[in-house]
Amino acid sequence: MKAIELNDYRMAFEDQGKGIPIVFIHGYPLNSELWRPQIESLSNDFRVIAPDLRGHGKSQAPPGTYNMELLASDCNELLDYLKIKEKIIICGLSMGGYIAFAFHRTFRHRLRGMIFTATKASADTPDQKENREKSILSANERGIDFIIDSMLPKLLSPINSLNNPGLVDRVKNIMRDTSIEGIIGDLRGMKERPDSIPYLKEIQEPVLIIQGQDDQIIPMVETQIMQTHIPNCDLKLIPGAGHLPNLEKPEEFNQLVRLFLNNFLENKNFFIKLS
Ligand code: MLT
């Protein structure tokens, strides 16, 4: 794993392979290890970049509110550091999707296409905001294990939670690598995030939405709102997967990403240089 010094912390990241850059942005409370099946397989054909967001994994954890714009700007700084000039594909899972919306709002000139997985465009409801506050209190008082215990049953599809203890342990270990500053920073940032539904029509780049059919965190109606309002968008459902389809059904997920990217290659207009 590599690392760079950003303004106020050291960011760790994976950067493997050559070709079209795909930036994979993990969700809460995870890290780049979430993308291990993509790093291992897709890096044979593409350049796979996966940061540990501030407060997560091997990155340092400055205290504060990690609003989505700040996290998007961290990702932009990483691309500057890597001197990436050609347009990229961004792939965000759940909170990573919220960050991808923020990235599009500020850095759309860097984007050629987007992949949203297990995410939604709406802001938090008042009840959800209240729950974020409760989780902040619990994280402070009871630590990461409380957060793991409350989230783990919802992350995987019921069938994977029941029949795949290896996967359950793997996800638990990824979550355990999140600092309390990271948990609190994310919760505050997600609570403040804007409603991106009115913004969806601005996303003119090609978009792929990938959703696990048994996602217990993102209701299908949220996915349909995205599909309806993004002009150039395709939705693919993965049966037998929950909120982490890339880990639960890696082959299916990777195949969808490959198909999406191969379409760009066939159109032969992918390597447009940034001005
Ligand atoms: C995530 O998976 O990133 C979070 O569950 C998203 C959220 O809490 O809104």
Side-chain angles (χ1 to χ4, degrees), residues 27-28 93-95 98 120 132 151 190 193 217 243:
Y28 159 89
L93 181 139
S94 203
M95 182 181 77
Y98 312 157
K120 62 185 175 188
R132 303 272 190 215
M151 281 205 75
M190 288 193 284
R193 77 184 190 283
I217 294 183
H243 192 56

Side-chain angles (χ1 to χ4, degrees), residues 29-244:
L30 302 161
N31 59 61
S32 60
E33 200 49 37
L34 169 73
W35 301 112
R36 186 56 52 199
Q38 287 65 51
I39 296 167
E40 279 172 6
S41 168
L42 295 174
S43 66
N44 291 324
D45 301 295
F46 308 108
R47 182 167 182 184
V48 175
I49 298 164
D52 281 355
L53 298 170
R54 55 174 68 212
H56 299 256
K58 308 266 174 303
S59 286
Q60 287 176 338
T65 299
Y66 295 1
N67 64 50
M68 302 302 109
E69 287 69 27
L70 176 68
L71 298 175
S73 150
D74 289 345
C75 295
N76 185 59
E77 272 194 64
L78 172 62
L79 294 175
D80 283 346
Y81 169 84
L82 295 174
K83 298 193 172 29
I84 292 189
K85 294 274 185 258
E86 74 251 57
K87 293 192 175 199
I88 63 156
I89 303 285
I90 201 163
C91 173
L93 181 139
S94 203
M95 182 181 77
Y98 312 157
I99 298 165
F101 287 125
F103 192 94
H104 190 282
R105 279 193 279 271
T106 314
F107 308 111
R108 69 184 301 171
H109 60 284
R110 292 200 103 125
L111 289 173
R112 180 67 182 86
M114 304 181 82
I115 303 173
F116 291 106
T117 185
T119 194
K120 62 185 175 188
S122 57
D124 276 4
T125 61
D127 277 358
Q128 285 165 339
K129 286 183 199 234
E130 207 180 306
N131 283 337
R132 303 272 190 215
E133 283 305 325
K134 285 186 191 151
S135 297
I136 290 171
L137 283 177
S138 307
N140 263 326
E141 283 167 10
R142 297 156 75 180
I144 184 73
D145 282 334
F146 171 82
I147 299 290
I148 294 176
D149 291 344
S150 58
M151 281 205 75
L152 195 58
K154 292 177 285 185
L155 281 175
L156 301 176
S157 73
I159 197 106
N160 283 331
S161 291
L162 200 65
N163 295 339
N164 197 339
L167 186 61
V168 174
D169 276 353
R170 187 169 173 192
V171 174
K172 209 189 268 188
N173 287 334
I174 297 177
M175 290 205 270
R176 191 158 282 130
D177 229 1
T178 313
S179 64
I180 289 299
E181 288 81 4
I183 299 277
I184 293 173
D186 288 350
L187 288 167
R188 287 191 178 138
M190 288 193 284
K191 181 181 157 203
E192 285 178 5
R193 77 184 190 283
D195 179 9
S196 292
I197 295 175
Y199 187 76
L200 293 175
K201 61 179 183 315
E202 306 295 330
I203 301 179
Q204 299 297 329
E205 297 75 12
V207 169
L208 172 64
I209 303 174
I210 305 178
Q211 175 80 358
Q213 231 161 19
D214 302 327
D215 193 325
Q216 301 175 76
I217 294 183
I218 304 291
M220 193 56 76
V221 64
E222 295 282 358
T223 313
Q224 283 157 351
I225 291 172
M226 289 176 59
Q227 186 191 18
T228 305
H229 294 283
I230 299 175
N232 189 5
C233 159
D234 195 7
L235 166 64
K236 300 285 184 211
L237 299 176
I238 302 192
H243 192 56
L244 306 179

